[in-house]
């Protein structure tokens, strides 16, 4: 085994004994017990390579170990120290340093906007499931031993089948993510327990691999002196690099109406692949793993890298070659922005004498903004100003408008360019090989495929999508790496599981519209997290702990938690199962889940579907996000209804403007519904409760279709008239005309129907009370509009 692989695997397994220790309730030191258990399931030669550094990653063991100065145990020891310092903060209370095996993982959102009096929520001990379900934190104090035993047995099972000589270390990282994301790293009751064991192992491995490569370039193999005897936490051994895709919105929405569903999802997914590929091209060249990815999502990523000349050369090479490739394929439509900052260990741990990680990210953002203004070098600018000759001047692409290499696409029945044709085929394969829940496909990066991605050298590599069952048939040597889609998997050349919103990938917008109740139109939802930048900047700073909680571990936990919600759990939120259990329902129809996830990234989303279900999803999304984040993170959104053939780029623009209006509200967490004016903006809680209660009241007392002996008949025309009177001319409600309209309703009630006469009098008082309350009027108008759409006959 390579020395660097020993470093990575030792770091990933150094605290694995904690799982065995807690499950078996033993008091043996976790390093020793971890090795004892691993020796039962891992090849002897492998465990012999790793056991010294696993056992000796604490100071007490190291001082008596009599190891050579070049032993990697010293690297693991210091990487563990830095990672632990980045996560473990003493709680300001009277507790002693006591470890309790049954302590659950605290929600990271307990720490956001910290208030000592707030309820504290914890995660139940579980693995990451395959059904997109959300692990909502709850109020409880202990986890059961049975859950630790279950995780221990599953861990032993997968490690027994793991090939340390052949499998990519990214496979082990993914195994640990699946199993240990809700296992606390520390169970010391005197500390915050908000960092998972997975996060700790991953960060330790990322740091350790950087330290090893840093020392290797410096030709310093005296790890004992550097990381044990004479530690300098201010030495800039690390680089944090940000990678941003520019031009995302324009790229996604540059499509034609024909085949819009397939093209829109394909273009969105292509950008996810592009970012994943760029990350892996850089990491593979630097001999690093996914342990060095701090965050990736929403066209942004952050990497933890060694501060070596080689790293800087690779990042500079990446800037030039990736942009050269993108210019050749897309012109100025897409570009890559790469910036980086040198860091020391103290930067990660809220050391009062050092720049904290918050300031590092702020500086990275400023650097990226500057680079964006001058992202092309002289040669690239010349290429853009003097493009290649047009091969076919008589036709242009019906999708993107270019006039180069045009072919006829039978599915779209249009002339399109080769690039758009490739993206269309990507959408085809996604539809063919993913089920309607967005699982089952394998992404193959290699010598053959349907679309291209750039290599670090600026050449092209191909992407293919195959069914999961066909993975064994891939010829060895024909692929560089594999990605899975929303599915647990690992193995040789496995790089990452791409979690992405693919629910409802099959079908068209027209089919979604047909499943709408009443008005046969699609609903479109755009939503975005409120004040996300401010949350990352100030969320961990509070009066009691000042900046002590501002650490790299917490930034990673927070960003990846939100990414999991919007990229993975969104599939469950849009599912038929969730919509059936959701309390906020527009109708009682059986067939639900008619929703297509167009885009859902690190903090925002774009959904299209049956309009009634889109409205239900918006309310469920708001509710589940608040439960998931202890109410610390909220969204604002816009919803509108469209003919399914309306241009998608214009739809995105219009609903985006509605979302922006909602964000301008004083406390945000608002939604603009149906029309882009102030009358149609209200807080999500008012939609979920007040508007829905008004709809319920009206439906309980009015019959909107046909006659009823138990309800008052309300025709569509009368419903329209009531809405028009409430909207009023010049925003003035005509009370006299409303009274007249209500009188017309009374005429339809039989004189001998005493109960309906009583109901009518109650309704009249209910509506008169609403007229005098501006807040109630807005809610009543939206309730009436929802009812009009719901009961409108298909035309």
């Amino acid at each position: 085994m390579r020395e660097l692989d020993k470093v990575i695997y030792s770091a990933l397994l150094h605290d694995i004994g904690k799982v065995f220790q807690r499950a078996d309730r033993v008091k043996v030191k976790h390093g020793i017990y971890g090795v004892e258990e691993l020796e039962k399931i891992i090849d002897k030669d492998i465990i012999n390579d790793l056991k010294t550094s696993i056992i000796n990653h604490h100071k007490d063991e190291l001082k008596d170990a009599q190891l050579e100065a070049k032993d990697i145990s010293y690297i693991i020891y210091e990487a563990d120290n830095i990672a632990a310092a980045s996560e473990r903060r003493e709680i300001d209370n009277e507790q002693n340093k006591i470890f309790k095996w049954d302590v659950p993982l605290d929600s990271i959102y307990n720490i956001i906007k910290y208030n000592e009096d707030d309820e504290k929520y914890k995660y139940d001990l579980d693995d990451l499931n395959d059904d997109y379900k959300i692990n909502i934190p709850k109020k409880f104090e202990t986890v059961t031993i049975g859950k630790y035993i279950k995780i221990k047995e599953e861990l032993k099972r997968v490690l027994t089948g793991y090939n340390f000589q052949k499998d990519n270390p990214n496979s082990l990282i993914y195994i640990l993510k699946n199993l240990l994301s809700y296992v606390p790293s520390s169970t010391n009751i005197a500390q915050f327990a908000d960092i998972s064991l997975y996060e700790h192992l991953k960060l330790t491995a990322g740091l350790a691999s950087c330290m090893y490569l840093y020392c290797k370039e410096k030709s310093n193999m005296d790890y004992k002196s550097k990381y044990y005897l004479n530690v300098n936490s201010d030495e800039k051994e690390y680089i944090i690099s940000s990678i941003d895709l520019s031009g995302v919105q324009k790229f996604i929405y540059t499509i034609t109406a024909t085949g819009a569903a397939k093209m829109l999802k394909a273009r969105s997914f292509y950008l996810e692949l592009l970012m994943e590929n760029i990350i892996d091209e850089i990491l593979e060249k630097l001999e690093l793993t996914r342990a060095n990815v701090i965050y990736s999502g929403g066209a942004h990523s952050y990497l933890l890298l060694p501060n070596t000349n080689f790293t800087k050369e690779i990042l500079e090479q990446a800037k030039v070659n990736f942009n050269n490739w993108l210019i050749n394929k897309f012109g100025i439509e897409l570009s890559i922005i790469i910036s980086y900052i040198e860091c020391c260990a103290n930067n990660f741990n809220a050391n009062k004498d050092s720049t904290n990680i918050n300031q590092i990210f702020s500086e990275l953002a400023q650097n990226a903004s500057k680079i964006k203004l001058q992202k092309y070098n002289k040669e690239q600018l010349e290429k853009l100003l003097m493009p290649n000759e047009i091969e076919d001047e008589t036709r242009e692409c019906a999708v993107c408008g270019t006039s180069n290499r045009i072919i006829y696409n039978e599915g779209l029945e249009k002339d399109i360019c080769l690039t758009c044709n490739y993206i269309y085929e990507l959408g085809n394969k996604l539809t063919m090989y993913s089920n309607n829940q967005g699982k089952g496909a394998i992404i193959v990066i290699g010598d053959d495929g349907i679309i291209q991605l750039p290599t670090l050298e600026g050449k092209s590599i191909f992407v293919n999508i195959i069914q999961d069952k066909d993975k064994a048939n891939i010829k060895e040597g024909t692929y560089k790496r594999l990605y899975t889609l929303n599915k647990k998997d690992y193995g040789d050349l496995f790089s990452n599981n791409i979690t992405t919103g693919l629910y409802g990938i099959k079908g068209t917008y027209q089919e979604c519209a047909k499943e709408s109740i009443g008005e046969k139109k699609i609903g479109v939802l755009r939503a975005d997290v409120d004040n996300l930048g401010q949350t990352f900047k100030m969320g961990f700073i509070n009066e009691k702990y000042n900046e002590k909680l501002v650490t790299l571990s917490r930034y990673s936990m927070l960003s990846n938690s939100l990414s999991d919600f919007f990229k993975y759990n969104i599939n469950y939120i849009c599912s038929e199962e969730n919509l059936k259990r959701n309390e906020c329902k527009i109708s009682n129809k059986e067939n639900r889940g008619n929703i297509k996830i167009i885009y859902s990234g690190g903090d925002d989303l774009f959904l299209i579907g049956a309009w009634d279900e889109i409205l239900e999803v918006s309310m469920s999304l708001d509710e589940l996000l608040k439960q998931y984040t202890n109410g610390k993170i909220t969204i604002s959104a816009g919803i509108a209804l469209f003919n399914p053939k309306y241009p998608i780029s214009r739809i995105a623009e219009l609903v985006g403007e509605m979302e922006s209006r909602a964000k301008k509200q004083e406390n945000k967490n608002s939604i603009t519904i149906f029309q882009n004016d102030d009358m149609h903006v209200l807080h999500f809680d008012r939609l979920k409760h007040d508007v829905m209660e008004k709809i319920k009241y009206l439906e309980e007392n009015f019959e909107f279709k046909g006659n009823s002996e138990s309800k008052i008949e309300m025709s569509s025309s009368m419903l329209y008239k009531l809405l028009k009177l409430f909207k009023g001319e010049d925003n003035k409600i005509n009370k006299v005309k409303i009274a007249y309209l209500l009188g017309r309703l009374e005429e339809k009630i039989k004189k001998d129907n005493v109960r309906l006469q009583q109901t009518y009098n109650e309704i009249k008082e209910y509506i008169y009370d609403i007229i005098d309350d501006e807040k109630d009027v807005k809610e009543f108008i939206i309730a009436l509009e929802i009812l009009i759409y719901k009961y409108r006959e298909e035309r």
Side-chain angles (χ1 to χ4, degrees):
M1 186 183 291
R2 292 187 316 158
E3 192 81 351
L4 179 55
D5 287 336
K6 292 179 187 177
V7 170
I8 293 168
Y9 280 126
S10 296
L12 288 173
L13 295 173
H14 78 280
D15 271 352
I16 207 70
K18 289 182 177 180
V19 178
F20 302 132
Q21 187 187 52
R22 295 171 194 172
D24 297 340
R25 303 289 298 277
V26 298
K27 293 186 178 181
V28 181
K29 290 183 176 180
H30 63 262
I32 295 172
Y33 196 63
V35 167
E36 288 178 3
E37 292 298 300
L38 290 173
E39 284 179 326
K40 299 175 185 177
I41 55 178
I42 293 177
D43 182 82
K44 183 179 179 181
D45 291 338
I46 298 297
I47 197 63
N48 284 340
D49 281 341
L50 307 178
K51 68 180 183 180
T52 300
S53 47
I54 293 176
I55 291 173
N56 298 296
H57 68 271
H58 286 163
K59 191 170 188 176
D60 289 345
E61 288 78 24
L62 268 180
K63 68 181 180 182
D64 300 322
Q66 297 182 340
L67 303 175
E68 291 184 65
K70 65 178 183 179
D71 196 290
I72 63 170
S73 298
Y74 296 107
I75 290 179
I76 306 303
Y77 160 74
E78 180 58 10
D80 179 49
N81 286 341
I82 297 170
S86 179
E87 66 186 60
R88 292 165 199 174
R89 291 293 181 269
E90 300 296 320
I91 299 174
D92 188 13
N93 59 21
E94 302 298 321
Q95 297 280 10
N96 295 317
K97 190 173 182 180
I98 299 173
F99 292 89
K100 295 183 67 176
W101 68 267
D102 58 358
V103 169
L105 178 68
D106 287 332
S107 167
I108 188 66
Y109 302 99
N110 292 345
I111 310 298
I112 294 291
K113 304 173 188 175
Y114 181 82
N115 185 328
E116 196 165 14
D117 296 328
D118 285 348
E119 294 281 3
K120 302 300 184 289
Y121 295 86
K122 304 170 189 294
Y123 293 106
D124 200 2
L125 192 59
D126 202 357
D127 59 355
L128 295 182
N129 51 62
D130 266 340
D131 57 7
Y132 304 125
K133 290 289 181 65
I134 308 172
N135 193 346
I136 300 289
K138 301 177 180 66
K139 289 186 284 185
F140 68 104
E141 296 303 323
T142 60
V143 295
T144 63
I145 191 170
K147 298 209 168 181
Y148 263 117
I149 292 172
K150 178 184 174 184
I151 286 181
K152 179 197 76 170
E153 294 302 322
E154 181 63 13
L155 185 61
K156 291 177 77 171
R157 184 188 71 80
V158 293
L159 287 179
T160 300
Y162 187 83
N163 189 328
F164 282 84
Q165 296 287 16
K166 187 179 180 185
D167 289 352
N168 192 312
N170 289 327
S171 290
L172 182 57
I173 294 169
Y174 187 57
I175 288 170
L176 297 176
K177 178 177 181 177
N178 279 330
L179 295 176
L180 307 181
S181 286
Y182 297 113
V183 174
S185 174
S186 171
T187 58
N188 181 353
I189 62 174
Q191 296 174 342
F192 289 105
D194 59 321
I195 306 300
S196 70
L197 183 55
Y198 161 70
E199 186 64 40
H200 174 71
L201 297 175
K202 174 176 171 284
L203 180 57
T204 303
L207 290 163
S209 53
C210 287
M211 294 156 72
Y212 175 83
L213 292 171
Y214 179 81
C215 290
K216 184 179 179 181
E217 184 173 277
K218 301 289 184 185
S219 299
N220 181 2
M221 306 295 285
D222 186 357
Y223 305 137
K224 181 177 183 178
S225 177
K226 182 168 180 52
Y227 295 123
Y228 183 69
L229 300 175
N230 303 301
V231 179
N232 178 9
S233 296
D234 288 319
E235 185 174 354
K236 294 186 181 296
E237 298 186 41
Y238 314 96
I239 279 174
I240 290 186
S241 174
S242 72
I243 305 174
D244 295 278
L245 266 174
S246 179
V248 167
Q249 296 294 315
K250 184 178 179 182
F251 177 82
I252 290 177
Y253 300 123
T254 302
I255 61 169
T256 183
T258 308
K262 194 176 293 182
M263 285 294 285
L264 198 57
K265 185 65 228 179
R267 291 176 86 84
S268 171
F269 183 70
Y270 178 74
L271 293 182
E272 291 191 63
L273 277 181
L274 180 60
M275 178 59 84
E276 293 292 327
N277 178 73
I278 286 170
I279 289 170
D280 280 323
E281 284 290 313
I282 292 171
L283 291 178
E284 287 173 14
K285 194 69 174 182
L286 295 173
E287 299 183 275
L288 296 172
T289 66
R290 285 275 166 168
N292 295 86
V293 181
I294 300 170
Y295 167 75
S296 176
H300 308 286
S301 64
Y302 294 101
L303 306 182
L304 174 65
L305 307 173
N307 186 10
T308 63
N309 291 328
F310 183 60
T311 297
K312 293 173 183 175
E313 289 171 10
I314 293 302
L315 291 177
E316 292 301 322
Q317 181 183 351
K319 286 182 190 178
V320 175
N321 289 348
F322 286 137
N323 274 325
N324 279 342
W325 190 90
L326 290 171
I327 287 170
N328 287 333
K329 299 295 180 184
F330 304 105
I332 61 171
E333 198 170 0
L334 286 174
S335 59
I336 287 289
I337 311 297
I338 299 177
S339 62
Y340 60 85
I341 292 178
E342 297 177 352
C343 302
C344 65
N346 278 336
N347 294 144
F348 305 149
N349 301 324
N351 187 306
K352 66 180 180 179
D353 298 322
S354 301
T355 302
N356 66 37
I357 194 65
N358 185 359
Q359 294 164 305
I360 296 290
F361 284 130
S362 294
E363 191 175 337
L364 272 172
Q366 292 171 11
N367 289 351
S369 296
K370 292 177 184 176
I371 293 171
K372 196 171 183 179
L373 296 175
Q374 45 187 9
K375 57 190 172 186
Y376 297 125
N377 60 29
K378 182 181 176 182
E379 290 76 17
Q380 290 167 340
L381 286 172
E382 287 178 353
K383 188 173 184 65
L384 288 168
L385 292 171
M386 299 292 292
N388 295 330
E389 287 186 19
I390 296 172
E391 295 185 14
D392 186 349
E393 296 182 358
T394 63
R395 297 183 295 170
E396 67 177 27
C397 176
V399 176
C400 69
T402 62
S403 299
N404 216 17
R405 304 188 70 184
I406 304 298
I407 62 172
Y408 182 75
N409 182 286
E410 291 185 2
L412 293 176
E413 298 181 344
K414 293 182 183 293
D415 292 335
I416 63 174
C417 67
L418 278 180
T419 301
C420 288
N421 189 64
Y422 293 148
I423 292 174
Y424 179 83
E425 290 304 317
L426 177 68
N428 260 343
K429 285 290 185 81
L430 275 175
T431 305
M432 288 168 60
Y433 296 147
S434 296
N435 62 28
N436 211 42
Q437 282 71 45
K439 300 177 187 176
I442 304 288
I443 308 296
V444 184
I445 310 296
D447 298 337
D448 184 33
I450 54 175
I451 198 166
Q452 298 174 359
L453 291 171
T455 66
L456 187 65
E457 294 74 25
K459 298 178 182 178
S460 291
I461 194 167
F462 291 88
V463 179
N464 207 346
I465 301 182
I466 62 171
Q467 296 180 77
D468 180 50
K469 64 183 180 64
D470 294 331
K471 187 175 71 168
N473 299 329
I474 307 173
K475 292 181 181 178
E476 209 167 316
T478 62
Y479 65 102
K480 191 173 185 180
R481 57 182 171 268
L482 299 175
Y483 299 109
T484 55
L485 281 182
N486 299 332
K487 187 178 182 299
K488 294 180 181 179
D489 205 350
Y490 57 91
D492 180 28
L493 296 183
F494 170 84
S495 180
N496 193 30
N497 174 54
I498 298 178
T499 55
T500 185
L502 284 178
Y503 183 86
I505 194 168
K506 299 183 187 299
T508 65
Y509 298 147
Q510 286 83 356
E511 289 169 342
C512 287
K514 286 179 182 177
E515 294 298 332
S516 295
I517 190 167
E519 182 78 2
K520 302 304 178 186
K521 288 187 177 179
I522 54 170
V524 179
L525 169 69
R526 289 192 69 172
D528 187 63
V529 172
D530 295 324
N531 304 319
L532 186 61
Q534 188 67 10
T535 298
F536 274 92
K537 186 176 181 180
M538 302 298 294
F540 292 117
I541 300 173
N542 59 75
E543 189 173 328
K544 182 169 185 177
Y545 294 101
N546 198 6
E547 297 187 3
K548 289 183 180 179
L549 304 178
V550 182
T551 66
L552 183 59
S553 291
R554 287 187 172 83
Y555 270 97
S556 183
M557 283 287 290
L558 175 60
S559 55
N560 286 301
S561 171
L562 285 174
S563 183
D564 284 345
F565 185 86
F566 283 100
K567 293 182 69 177
Y568 188 69
N569 298 139
I570 187 65
N571 291 285
Y572 170 73
I573 295 169
C574 293
S575 70
E576 182 175 18
E577 179 183 355
N578 178 55
L579 290 180
K580 282 186 174 180
R581 62 163 290 281
N582 178 31
E583 292 183 1
C584 294
K585 289 186 175 69
I586 303 302
S587 75
N588 294 319
K589 73 180 190 183
E590 282 297 314
N591 181 24
R592 278 183 160 80
N594 302 290
I595 291 177
K596 303 178 80 64
I597 301 171
I598 303 307
Y599 174 77
S600 186
D603 60 353
D604 61 342
L605 55 82
F606 182 27
L607 309 178
I608 294 178
W611 74 263
D612 51 309
E613 296 179 48
I614 285 290
L615 194 51
E616 291 174 2
V617 161
S618 72
M619 293 184 278
S620 178
L621 174 68
D622 175 75
E623 186 63 30
L624 289 172
L625 181 61
K626 285 173 179 171
Q627 293 176 20
Y628 185 75
T629 66
N630 307 357
K632 304 292 182 68
I633 306 288
T634 62
I635 56 167
S636 291
I639 285 182
L641 275 61
F642 294 92
N643 184 299
K645 293 184 178 181
Y646 198 80
I648 200 71
S649 57
R650 183 64 178 143
I651 286 176
E653 182 183 347
L654 290 171
V655 184
E657 291 170 359
M658 295 171 72
E659 177 196 311
S660 297
R661 183 181 290 273
K663 278 191 165 295
K664 291 176 182 175
Q665 302 306 299
E666 185 177 354
N667 296 316
K668 299 193 177 182
N669 193 207
S670 297
I671 181 167
T672 308
I673 303 180
F674 302 147
Q675 296 181 38
N676 192 13
D677 56 43
D678 290 337
M679 178 60 76
H680 287 80
V681 185
L682 72 166
H683 194 277
F684 258 108
D685 286 344
R686 287 173 60 190
L687 171 63
K688 291 185 296 185
H689 303 298
D690 300 339
V691 172
M692 294 303 293
E693 283 176 8
K694 287 177 173 60
I695 290 173
K696 181 180 179 182
Y697 180 83
L698 291 170
E699 290 192 309
E700 285 176 346
N701 291 286
F702 287 109
E703 174 58 47
F704 297 100
K705 283 190 174 183
N707 298 315
S708 173
E709 293 295 322
S710 60
K711 297 181 183 180
I712 299 171
E713 184 184 347
M714 171 74 82
S715 66
S716 296
S717 62
M718 201 162 283
L719 197 57
Y720 274 109
K721 289 174 183 176
L722 187 60
L723 174 63
K724 185 177 180 180
L725 292 173
F726 261 89
K727 285 188 172 182
E729 296 178 5
D730 300 323
N731 296 321
K732 292 180 181 179
I733 300 174
N734 195 320
K735 297 181 182 180
V736 174
K737 288 185 178 181
I738 289 175
Y740 172 75
L741 186 64
L742 293 176
R744 292 284 305 278
L745 286 176
E746 187 178 18
E747 293 173 4
K748 297 184 178 184
I749 303 172
K750 293 179 180 180
K751 299 296 183 182
D752 59 348
N753 196 328
V754 177
R755 193 177 65 78
L756 277 189
Q757 288 288 346
Q758 184 180 346
T759 300
Y760 169 77
N761 290 328
E762 290 173 0
I763 290 172
K764 187 167 63 172
E765 292 303 315
Y766 175 80
I767 292 177
Y768 287 161
D769 286 343
I770 286 174
I771 291 173
D772 295 325
D773 189 310
E774 185 179 338
K775 167 181 161 294
D776 275 343
V777 167
K778 179 184 286 194
E779 294 163 1
F780 195 64
I781 287 172
I782 293 173
L784 290 174
E785 289 177 335
I786 291 172
L787 289 172
I788 286 171
Y789 289 132
K790 178 177 177 179
Y791 291 105
R792 182 176 287 171
E793 297 292 337
E794 185 174 355
R795 292 170 294 177

